[in-house]
């Protein structure tokens, strides 16, 4: 019988893919921010598109949380990157994005890596994270916030990659908190656990950083950077501290799958082009052609 974790994982990929697309559209319609201003989230909330996208993101977050109850972090966090493929497909079909050949090839490579990880991952309950782990997550929150304060000054693709990477680190920390928290014995223990509040704060900071990253032009670069930066720390912590398992004899498949997935998302940060900028350029070109004809 198929474990419920696998069903949660598949639904999570679709939810995150739709969320990325809708939030990128809303971010492109909002004035670009050059400061680490939480007010951006309030301004984005004024767009119905963003709110629907946020709803999909929350759904993806809940599904990922449920999947982490049994599935290892290296699989769940890498599978979040598969949502990027869903985003790209929807962008082409709905928003008429034009993806370069290199980006299409890298997306195919991404799905191949995720498939290898699915075949290698062995479901298992999480080990609990001690007080030292909670303190480390709190320190990580402060470091991410400080780096975000400086990274927000970057423009264009470098800004998308830098801010997206920091968003990935924030979401990775939230994932580390979520894995043991998902095994809480009761609702009271769940709400009283310090990891619950670290999970919330890391998620809010990650959401702010992702919104800032998407404003700088390339949704693919921002999300790929987020996925690449978020996959490695969570995978290491999961394997070393949280009882993440790999089927015996398939360690090589897990290693190859993880490296292929990581290489593809890093490649996407290099070759992805700014879709929103292309859309604006096409509108500007059409306007110039119309003006010349009218003249």
């Amino acid at each position: 019988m198929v474990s419920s974790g696998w069903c949660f994982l598949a639904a999570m990929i679709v939810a995150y893919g739709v969320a990325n697309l809708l939030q990128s559209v809303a971010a492109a319609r909002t004035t670009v921010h050059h400061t680490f201003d939480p007010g951006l989230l309030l301004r984005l909330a004024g767009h119905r598109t963003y709110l629907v996208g946020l709803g999909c993101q929350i759904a993806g977050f809940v599904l990922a949380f449920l999947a982490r109850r049994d599935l290892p972090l290296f699989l769940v966090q890498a599978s979040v990157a598969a949502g990027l493929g869903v985003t790209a497909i929807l962008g082409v079909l709905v928003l008429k994005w034009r993806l370069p050949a290199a980006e299409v090839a890298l997306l195919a490579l991404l799905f191949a890596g995720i498939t290898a990880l699915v075949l290698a991952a062995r479901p298992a309950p999480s080990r609990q994270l001690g007080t030292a782990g909670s303190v480390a997550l709190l320190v990580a929150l402060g470091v991410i916030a400080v780096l975000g304060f400086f990274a927000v000054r970057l423009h264009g693709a470098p800004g998308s990659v830098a801010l997206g990477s920091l968003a990935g680190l924030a979401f990775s920390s939230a994932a580390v908190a979520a894995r043991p928290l998902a095994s809480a014995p009761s609702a009271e223990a769940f709400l009283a656990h310090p990891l619950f509040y670290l999970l919330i704060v890391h998620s809010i900071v990650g959401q702010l950083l992702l919104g800032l990253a998407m404003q700088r032009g390339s949704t693919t670069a921002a999300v790929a950077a987020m996925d690449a930066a978020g996959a490695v720390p969570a995978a290491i912590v999961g394997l070393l501290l949280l009882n993440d398992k790999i089927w015996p004899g398939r360690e090589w498949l897990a290693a190859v799958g993880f490296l292929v997935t990581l290489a593809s998302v890093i490649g996407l940060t290099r070759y992805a082009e700014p879709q929103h900028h292309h859309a604006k350029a096409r509108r500007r070109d059409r306007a110039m052609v119309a003006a010349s004809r009218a003249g």
Side-chain angles (χ1 to χ4, degrees):
M1 188 175 70
V2 177
S3 168
S4 59
W6 299 108
C7 298
F8 292 138
L9 191 72
M12 175 205 75
I13 291 171
V14 175
Y16 273 134
V18 175
N20 291 335
L21 182 75
L22 295 177
Q23 290 182 35
S24 71
V25 171
R29 295 174 180 172
T30 307
T31 303
V32 176
H33 281 57
H34 302 292
T35 59
F36 194 63
D37 180 13
L40 171 64
L41 293 178
L42 296 177
R43 280 180 279 278
L44 285 171
H47 294 272
R48 184 178 302 174
T49 302
Y50 181 81
L51 291 177
V52 176
L54 183 61
C56 292
Q57 176 123 1
I58 292 173
F61 179 85
V62 173
L63 290 164
F65 181 85
L66 295 173
R68 292 186 192 107
R69 182 181 301 167
D70 298 314
L71 299 181
L73 283 180
F74 71 80
L75 172 61
V76 178
Q77 291 311 104
S79 295
V80 170
L84 184 58
V86 175
T87 302
I89 293 171
L90 291 175
V92 170
L93 296 177
V94 179
L95 300 180
K96 308 304 178 185
W97 287 356
R98 294 181 181 178
L99 302 181
E103 192 168 333
V104 174
L106 287 167
L107 287 170
L109 196 64
L110 171 64
F111 280 112
I114 297 297
T115 301
L117 289 174
V118 168
L119 295 174
R122 179 182 176 184
S126 173
R127 187 181 297 121
Q128 289 302 306
L129 197 64
T131 302
S134 298
V135 173
L137 289 176
L138 184 61
V139 172
L141 178 65
V143 172
I144 292 168
V146 171
L147 292 175
F149 178 80
F150 293 101
V152 78
R153 302 175 186 179
L154 298 174
H155 306 281
S160 289
V161 172
L163 290 164
S165 297
L166 290 173
L169 292 176
F171 286 129
S172 180
S173 298
V176 169
R179 174 92 160 106
L181 189 61
S183 301
S186 65
E188 291 78 9
F190 179 87
L191 295 175
H193 205 296
L195 289 178
F196 172 68
Y197 301 98
L198 285 168
L199 169 66
I200 292 175
V201 178
H202 271 288
S203 298
I204 292 174
V205 171
Q207 192 67 28
L208 172 59
L209 289 164
L210 180 59
L212 291 166
M214 286 180 168
Q215 280 194 322
R216 279 146 180 81
S218 176
T219 298
T220 308
V223 177
M226 176 185 72
D227 294 336
V232 177
I236 293 174
V237 172
L239 288 170
L240 294 180
L241 301 177
L242 300 179
N243 197 42
D244 285 1
K245 300 289 187 181
I246 299 172
W247 287 109
R250 298 184 186 177
E251 292 83 1
W252 66 271
L253 185 60
V256 170
F258 191 80
L259 290 175
V260 168
T261 301
L262 187 62
S264 62
V265 293
I266 291 175
L268 285 167
T269 67
R270 169 65 178 83
Y271 290 103
E273 298 183 8
Q275 294 94 354
H276 298 308
H277 291 177
H278 283 180
K280 291 177 182 178
R282 287 195 294 272
R283 288 195 296 268
R284 184 172 59 249
D285 292 343
R286 286 196 294 267
M288 292 176 64
V289 170
S292 63
R293 288 177 179 174

